[in-house]
Amino acid sequence: MTTDQVKLLKLGIEPVDDKLCLAVESGLEWVLKNTSLSFDITSDDDLAALPANVRLFAAKYAEIMRLRFGISSESISNLSQSFNTSDFLDLISDLAEELLGDEITSGVKFVSAVRRWK
């Protein structure tokens, strides 16, 4: 995927660099693999015609891929640390269910827990 193709999607993410192109392409491939949607990643016309939920998924997918896990913040004077323990798969699954729920075909159903196991 080229920078021009990513800009064509109007994701609102700047700057458009090689890493962003890879993340967006990977997100769109995830959509192709796990949903009933069909489009050509190499076609400018198909990319321009993508529905808003797919473009938003690609933008959020790219943001998730850019997250750094582990220590998210440190404070020297108070000697405190904050940790980010989120899991990529959980974040992507939640995002997919929210934005692409009706189109998911991978056989996986996302179900919210009513209560914890005992």
Side-chain angles (χ1 to χ4, degrees), residues 1-117:
M1 179 164 262
T2 66
T3 56
D4 290 336
Q5 288 173 318
V6 172
K7 289 177 182 177
L8 181 66
L9 292 171
K10 299 178 182 176
L11 301 178
I13 304 173
E14 293 291 334
V16 177
D17 58 12
D18 292 340
K19 285 184 180 180
L20 177 63
C21 291
L22 286 172
V24 169
E25 184 174 357
S26 179
L28 293 176
E29 287 176 356
W30 191 99
V31 171
L32 287 171
K33 180 179 178 183
N34 296 290
T35 69
S36 60
L37 297 170
S38 178
F39 53 89
D40 182 4
I41 292 177
T42 62
S43 167
D44 289 353
D45 292 335
D46 281 7
L47 291 175
L50 284 176
N53 63 331
V54 175
R55 291 193 332 253
L56 184 57
F57 178 85
K60 294 295 184 181
Y61 185 97
E63 287 178 19
I64 290 170
M65 289 298 128
R66 288 180 156 196
L67 290 176
R68 292 189 54 185
F69 291 98
I71 298 173
S72 61
S73 67
E74 293 181 295
S75 175
I76 295 174
S77 62
N78 294 334
L79 299 175
S80 66
Q81 288 182 328
S82 298
F83 295 90
N84 183 347
T85 58
S86 299
D87 182 23
F88 282 116
L89 183 58
D90 289 340
L91 292 172
I92 292 170
S93 297
D94 291 345
L95 181 63
E97 177 63 23
E98 182 179 327
L99 295 175
L100 307 169
D102 294 338
E103 303 294 335
I104 294 175
T105 61
S106 63
V108 177
K109 273 302 226 192
F110 303 105
V111 181
S112 58
V114 176
R115 60 183 166 88
R116 294 188 179 266
W117 291 51

